[in-house]
Amino acid sequence: KPASSLLLSRYASLEGNILNLSIHNSRVNVAVFDLKGKRIFQNAYSSSTSLDLSETVRARGTYILRVTSGNAVLLSGKFGIVR
């Protein structure tokens, strides 16, 4: 796991493989894509939660994470899974 911690917005942060969502009175969509653009995970959340992306993504590699609320992008970037 990477040792870095990234706070990309006040609503979402990525620490290693753990995505932390702080949700208040809204609905947040989380999507994970492989590097070819194929969506491999998508779910909506309406309350604060932590999501272990290494459990969501089965294979080792680099993926693209996108967290949105309505038309607003809260977090978007690459992350890696190492097994």
Side-chain angles (χ1 to χ4, degrees):
K1 291 182 182 179
S4 62
S5 172
L6 235 47
L7 177 62
L8 298 176
S9 77
R10 64 183 184 169
Y11 305 106
S13 66
L14 185 61
E15 299 177 27
N17 291 334
I18 306 298
L19 174 64
N20 297 300
L21 300 173
S22 297
I23 303 167
H24 305 284
N25 301 323
S26 65
R27 185 179 178 102
V28 173
N29 296 299
V30 175
V32 176
F33 302 87
D34 65 16
L35 291 180
K36 294 180 181 179
K38 179 181 176 187
R39 185 177 56 221
I40 57 173
F41 174 81
Q42 182 172 346
N43 204 356
Y45 299 91
S46 57
S47 62
S48 296
T49 190
S50 292
L51 178 64
D52 186 344
L53 296 174
S54 66
E55 292 178 4
T56 302
V57 179
R58 303 279 183 221
R60 176 177 71 178
T62 302
Y63 297 89
I64 299 169
L65 172 68
R66 187 168 175 96
V67 180
T68 59
S69 180
N71 292 328
V73 176
L74 303 179
L75 186 150
S76 182
K78 291 182 183 178
F79 71 97
I81 298 294
V82 179
R83 299 213 186 269

